[in-house]
Structure formats: C-alpha cells, structure tokens
Amino acid sequence: MKKKSTIKGRIILIMTAFALLTATLLSVFSYELISFFQRKTTIQATKFNLQLIANIIEQDLINLSSLAMGCSTNSTANTKLAEYFKAEEPSPWMAIDVFNSMLEASRSNRSTTYARRLIATNNNTLFVQVDNTGNSIPLNIHNLDELPKLDDPAGEQWNAVMQDPFSSTTVIPFAMPIYGNGASNIGTVYLFANVSVITDKLKGYSIPKESRLVLTLGGRHYQITGEKISTEPIHYKEEPYTNDSFSDLGAALSYISDSSGRHLAVSFPVRSGVELTQTLEGYQFAPQANIWLFLMAGVCLLIIAASGIITLYLTRTISLPVEKLKKRMDKIAQGQFYMDKNIEWNSELGDVGRGINRLSQDIVALMENRMAQEKQKQELEYRVLQSQINPHFLYNTLNSIRWMATIQNATGIAEMTTSLSRLLRSIAKNMGKPVPLKDELSLLDDYFLIQKYRYGSSITMDQQVESEDLLEALIPRLTLQPLVENAIFHGIEPKGKGHVQITVAKQGVFDIRITIEDNGVGMDREQIAAALAEEIPDTKGMMEHMGLRSVNERLRLAYGERYGVTLESEVGRYTRTIIMLPFQ
C-alpha cells in the first residue's frame, strides 16, 4: 500500500527548519544587547525609586531640624531658654514658660509625629523636656549625662541610629548648640526622631529577593529590614563602579563587598550626611519578556518574508483541492448526490472528499427513510380519525338519553348523564397536556355528582381554595379524581358514611399544596407504604392505570423528586392525601 504523503508534515518540516535557522542567528547577536538594556533599566528604576523616597524623607528631616533650630537660636523659645539658663535663681514658673513655648513649637511642626522627645539642657543641672512617648523613664539630673555628646559643636548632626536612652524605642538623634546673647554657647538641644521617619516612606516599597536597603548616617551604615533599622552599624568595603555606559544615569554606583559577596549598589543622597543605598543582584539583570518581544517581532518579519514562497507551495497542494471540494458540496446542495471519486486524493483533503461522498449517500438513505415515515404517519392519522367515530357516537347517544330523561322529568338521570358525558369528553382529550386547576375541580364535581346518586347523603364533599389566582395553576389532567375515588371506596364506603375535604393553598413562594382528607377508616403504616409502593389493580379504579401510585409517579416524572403524593393517616379517624405541585 502506498504511503500517504501528508501536507501537514511537509509544512511542519519547512517551518521548523526556518525557525531553527532564525533562532540561531538571533540568539548569537541579541543576548548581549538584551543584557545591557536590562541592566540599564534596572539601575535606572532603582535610582528613580530611591530618589522619590529620599525627597519625601528629606522634607520630614528639614521639618524636624527646624524644630530643633527653634530652640537653638532666634526664636521665642530660644529667648526664654536663655533667660532661664542665665537666671541666678531659676524659678519653676520660668521652666513652665519655656516648656509651653517648646510644646507650642512642637505642635505647630508638620513632622511632629516623628519627634519622640525634645530636650533642652544647659549641660549642667537645668533642662526642659517635651516627651511624646508617654511611657519613658523620667529625665532627671542623675541620668542627664546619658544624652549623646556633640561631636561637632558648630553644627547639626544626623549621624547615628540608637536606642532611646529613656525608652525601648529606636531613634535617630539630632543635636544642636543653644546660643545666647553674643552667640555664646549656653547649652544643647536634643531631638530624638523615631526611625519611622525613614521606614514609613518604605511601606509598599518592594525590595527584590537577596537585595538589601541601607541607610547611611554620618558615614555609618545601618541595614533597613521592614519597619526596623538596626542599631548596630554594618561594615563593608566600597569600590567605585567604572563602567562609563551608565555614567549618565545620575545615581552613585559602586561595588560593596562583605561576607555575602560582591554586589552592585545604587545610592542616592537624602541630605548632607544622610544617604539611601540599595544593592542589586545578578539575576535582576537577566533578560525580561518585554525585550524578547522585540526579538519575536524580528522573527515575524523574517517569517513574513518567507511566507511568500510557502504560499506558492500551499496553493498547489491545498487551495486547488479545496476549490474542487467546494464545487462538489455546491452540487450536493443542488440535489446531485452521486459519488465523485475524483475528490478522494491520497492526503488529508482526500479523507475529507471520502467523507463528503459518504455524506451524500447518507442523505439519500435519510430521505428514503423520511418518506417511509411520512407514509406511516398518514396511515396512523387515518386510523385516529376512524377511532374518533366511536366516542362521537357515544356522546350523541348520551345526549339522546339526557333529552329523553328531561322530557320524562327524570332530573337525576339527566344530571348523571350530563356529568358522565363531560367526564368522558375530558378523558378522551390529550392526557399529556396540563389543564387549569379550575377545570380539574369542575371535572371532580361531575365525578362526585355521579357518586352522590349512588351513595345518597352518606357522603359529602367540600372544596376550599385559598385565593382565586390558584385556580389558574396548571395540573396534569385527571390527577385529583383517582385520589378522591380512593377516599370514597377505601376510606368512607367501609365505614358507611363520611366527608371528603379538598383544600388548595400556597406552599412557600413557588409551590401549591392540595390536600384531600376523608374521615373514613384510615390506614396503618404498612398500608400507607403498600399504597405508594405497589401497583393498584385496574379493576379497583374507575380510570385505567390511574391509581394512587400512578398519580405519584406522573407528578415526579413531570416536576421532579421534590413533588408528588404523600399520605398521612390514623386508623379509625382520617386519611390525608397531600399533593405538592409547582405554581405555574
């Protein structure tokens, strides 16, 4: 047997060879270019993020510095401090006045939430403190010497991270001299800033895995981890970054080396003596997906150029056979169902051609089968018309009896004949179509009228409907009659007399509950189970195959398992038949 040559196999072979050639050429020339741009983009993004955070931190540090400077020189608080520190006998009232001035300056500062405490002292026995912690050790002359000393008496300092000497809070201290008249140094002002002045700005700042964020204060380096800054400086060796390709990024680049290895670092100054640094790891410079998109665009251009050649090949192997298949299908649409061997090629399209030929033969067979069914349908319709002659004759005969009874003044016979005629007409109608509840209750009235003439006044029946709209609910035809028949024959007749109560009410929002209750002999549990589980013989009911179990099965099949018939009974007292239907 000749081996089938597949079009798909040839196309895949050509495209695979082309793709391999293109990928090889591009991978040789693109990798270094992509790595270069990825490195540059990563450094630039890190620099931008650090710059944004540094600008926000700088504003808070300026505000805190101005708060300390207000006590240092040229302010109301400074004047009152000078008077208090120079007084020969400083009074408590002077201390209170100085405290209020410092407190007012603190409250008016925009960054006061980061100021843990503000202390002014004459470096001897006098001091005033504004404490925002509320849970620190009281400051007194005995622990005053625990305050950090000024390294440079001439200016401000942000140069360390330390634990607050009087609480467990980690702070950044800031100290300045207090100047009196003639620029004389009369004391020192200390401001302890919470480290949250730095870490609050870093919330939501994503640091890549294995990278580190470092805060530099006065030449000391402190590692930032989450919302904490270490109080112990970390040490590493710093080397300049000499790659001129990134000199235009506006950020300080360097290599830092420690026990974990050598890392590229990006630094950005916050203000004098304060700097943020982030290390970058090698995996961050790996080529990303967006770079490869440009590469794929180039591959697409090459593929488009080659597709012209492939198109010529595909035209001969695919387009022309497809055109022949299309013409064959058009002929089938016009009713020409003959087999065409010319479309059964030795390829996948040949399989399609063979399928089209099989389809045309199946259509011929289907049409022949359809014609046979139509002929059979006509025969069945003729038989149905014939079968309608006998009921029609029976209805005319019952009408003749009714008129004869009326003429002879036999009212009871006339009423029974009328009820029986309506009952038979209802039975002869389509059993599969639901009817309104009011029609089913009307049919029940006709049936009960016939039974009343049989039993006389020994049986009675009453109907109670909760609301008029329930009468329009749909119910399967001849659902209630078999159940009332059971109540009369098996409940009331053995007792001699009784009453049948029919109640229709809404059950919830979407259901209807119909109750048929008699005060007959009742049933025990075994009889209830048998009534729902076993077929009732045809001779025990007026209607064939319409016993209690049959009604229950019809309702479950029509509406689902939650609907149907249930029984409640007590021997010698009552039997209650409950029907659950959807309200539709």
Side-chain angles (χ1 to χ4, degrees):
M1 181 178 177
K2 186 178 179 180
K3 186 178 180 181
K4 183 190 297 184
S5 176
T6 62
I7 298 173
K8 181 174 67 175
R10 283 176 279 177
I11 294 176
I12 291 177
L13 180 61
I14 294 173
M15 295 304 297
T16 301
F18 175 77
L20 288 174
L21 178 61
T22 304
T24 302
L25 294 174
L26 287 176
S27 61
V28 171
F29 297 101
S30 64
Y31 184 81
E32 288 299 325
L33 180 64
I34 294 173
S35 298
F36 172 83
F37 280 106
Q38 181 62 36
R39 179 182 291 263
K40 185 173 183 178
T41 301
T42 303
I43 294 174
Q44 198 167 23
T46 304
K47 174 255 179 182
F48 175 81
N49 293 336
L50 292 178
Q51 181 181 6
L52 182 63
I53 295 172
N55 291 338
I56 302 173
I57 294 175
E58 181 184 24
Q59 187 57 53
D60 283 328
L61 293 181
I62 291 174
N63 292 338
L64 293 174
S65 299
S66 65
L67 176 60
M69 290 178 66
C71 298
S72 175
T73 182
N74 296 332
S75 69
T76 302
N78 175 258
T79 302
K80 292 182 179 182
L81 278 170
E83 293 175 357
Y84 178 58
F85 289 164
K86 291 295 184 180
E88 294 181 1
E89 295 183 4
S91 67
W93 298 109
M94 294 177 67
I96 293 174
D97 194 22
V98 173
F99 172 82
N100 289 334
S101 295
M102 294 172 61
L103 181 62
E104 181 179 357
S106 176
R107 288 177 176 175
S108 62
N109 192 279
R110 293 184 179 180
S111 302
T112 187
T113 55
Y114 297 115
R116 302 300 293 173
R117 65 178 75 247
L118 180 64
I119 302 173
T121 176
N122 67 345
N123 298 325
N124 194 0
T125 59
L126 298 179
F127 64 89
V128 179
Q129 175 185 221
V130 176
D131 184 2
N132 290 330
T133 62
N135 58 354
S136 61
I137 301 172
L139 181 64
N140 53 56
I141 60 174
H142 300 291
N143 57 16
L144 193 61
D145 58 349
E146 294 182 16
L147 294 173
K149 304 302 180 181
L150 273 174
D151 294 337
D152 182 9
E156 63 183 71
Q157 301 177 53
W158 294 97
N159 63 356
V161 176
M162 59 178 289
Q163 184 174 335
D164 187 344
F166 312 110
S167 71
S168 60
T169 307
T170 303
V171 295
I172 303 175
F174 179 83
M176 290 189 67
I178 301 177
Y179 298 100
N181 295 331
S184 61
N185 189 336
I186 61 174
T188 306
V189 57
Y190 296 94
L191 185 144
F192 292 102
N194 196 313
V195 293
S196 59
V197 71
I198 304 294
T199 58
D200 277 0
K201 315 307 182 296
L202 298 173
K203 290 181 178 179
Y205 182 76
S206 178
I207 301 177
K209 185 180 179 181
E210 299 180 4
S211 291
R212 290 189 299 174
L213 197 60
V214 178
L215 173 66
T216 300
L217 296 173
R220 301 181 182 94
H221 309 295
Y222 301 91
Q223 183 164 332
I224 303 174
T225 306
E227 297 182 1
K228 297 181 179 180
I229 301 178
S230 63
T231 57
E232 292 294 330
I234 60 175
H235 303 282
Y236 52 74
K237 181 181 179 182
E238 189 170 2
E239 303 173 20
Y241 185 80
T242 58
N243 193 331
D244 295 334
S245 301
F246 304 106
S247 59
D248 59 337
L249 296 180
L253 301 178
S254 62
Y255 282 113
I256 59 176
S257 301
D258 56 11
S259 58
S260 63
R262 191 167 180 259
H263 313 275
L264 178 63
V266 181
S267 302
F268 198 89
V270 178
R271 61 175 310 175
S272 177
V274 182
E275 189 176 73
L276 281 176
T277 302
Q278 180 180 333
T279 63
L280 302 177
E281 300 302 321
Y283 73 89
Q284 295 178 249
F285 304 134
Q288 301 296 316
N290 58 341
I291 303 300
W292 286 108
L293 290 177
F294 292 103
L295 176 61
M296 294 306 299
V299 172
C300 290
L301 291 177
L302 292 176
I303 293 175
I304 292 173
S307 63
I309 301 173
I310 298 175
T311 301
L312 295 176
Y313 177 77
L314 295 181
T315 300
R316 294 184 178 182
T317 56
I318 295 179
S319 299
L320 294 179
V322 168
E323 185 64 25
K324 290 184 178 180
L325 292 175
K326 182 177 179 298
K327 290 180 179 180
R328 180 69 189 103
M329 294 178 68
D330 291 340
K331 290 182 179 180
I332 292 176
Q334 295 171 5
Q336 302 179 24
F337 301 110
Y338 61 86
M339 291 187 63
D340 186 1
K341 292 293 184 179
N342 294 325
I343 61 174
E344 295 184 0
W345 302 284
N346 188 30
S347 65
E348 289 89 348
L349 292 178
D351 293 338
V352 176
R354 284 183 283 273
I356 291 175
N357 284 333
R358 286 194 298 270
L359 176 62
S360 64
Q361 298 305 304
D362 291 342
I363 293 175
V364 172
L366 181 61
M367 291 175 63
E368 293 174 352
N369 187 34
R370 180 66 175 173
M371 292 174 64
Q373 289 179 353
E374 285 294 330
K375 185 177 180 180
Q376 185 180 11
K377 179 180 178 183
Q378 292 176 0
E379 293 176 357
L380 290 174
E381 289 176 350
Y382 177 76
R383 293 178 183 176
V384 170
L385 290 174
Q386 281 188 326
S387 66
Q388 290 178 349
I389 295 175
N390 293 332
H392 183 69
F393 171 75
L394 180 60
Y395 301 150
N396 291 338
T397 302
L398 289 174
N399 283 331
S400 298
I401 296 172
R402 180 174 64 84
W403 283 111
M404 182 65 70
T406 302
I407 292 173
Q408 295 180 3
N409 203 23
T411 308
I413 296 175
E415 289 180 351
M416 288 182 65
T417 305
T418 302
S419 297
L420 179 58
S421 178
R422 286 199 294 262
L423 192 60
L424 291 175
R425 286 182 184 275
S426 179
I427 295 172
K429 293 180 181 179
N430 182 10
M431 291 291 293
K433 183 178 180 181
V435 296
L437 180 60
K438 61 183 179 181
D439 294 346
E440 184 74 0
L441 293 175
S442 178
L443 173 65
L444 198 58
D445 289 336
D446 291 333
Y447 169 75
F448 189 76
L449 179 62
I450 297 173
Q451 298 301 325
K452 190 170 179 62
Y453 277 105
R454 174 180 175 182
Y455 293 100
S457 60
S458 63
I459 63 170
T460 57
M461 184 179 74
D462 184 30
Q463 298 178 3
Q464 181 179 353
V465 182
E466 185 181 68
S467 59
E468 292 293 329
D469 61 326
L470 296 180
L471 294 175
E472 300 300 327
L474 297 179
I475 183 173
R477 191 185 300 274
L478 289 178
T479 296
L480 302 182
Q481 183 274 331
L483 305 181
V484 173
E485 183 180 17
N486 283 341
I488 295 174
F489 289 167
H490 304 295
I492 296 176
E493 183 177 350
K495 192 174 182 179
K497 65 177 181 178
H499 176 73
V500 178
Q501 176 68 39
I502 300 175
T503 306
V504 181
K506 200 79 175 291
Q507 181 77 17
V509 180
F510 304 105
D511 297 333
I512 297 176
R513 176 189 175 104
I514 303 175
T515 305
I516 301 173
E517 183 173 348
D518 67 82
N519 58 353
V521 296
M523 294 187 291
D524 56 27
R525 292 184 179 180
E526 290 76 10
Q527 290 174 317
I528 292 175
L532 292 175
E534 298 180 0
E535 290 281 2
I536 299 176
D538 296 343
T539 57
K540 291 188 177 182
M542 180 178 174
M543 307 302 170
E544 292 185 353
H545 309 298
M546 292 292 174
L548 183 67
R549 182 175 179 274
S550 177
V551 172
N552 184 41
E553 289 181 352
R554 288 174 59 207
L555 295 177
R556 287 175 178 268
L557 289 174
Y559 304 118
E561 292 297 324
R562 59 175 295 196
Y563 299 103
V565 179
T566 56
L567 291 176
E568 297 176 0
S569 183
E570 186 176 340
V571 177
R573 295 190 59 189
Y574 70 90
T575 298
R576 186 180 298 123
T577 305
I578 302 170
I579 306 169
M580 293 297 297
L581 295 169
F583 185 21
Q584 57 182 6

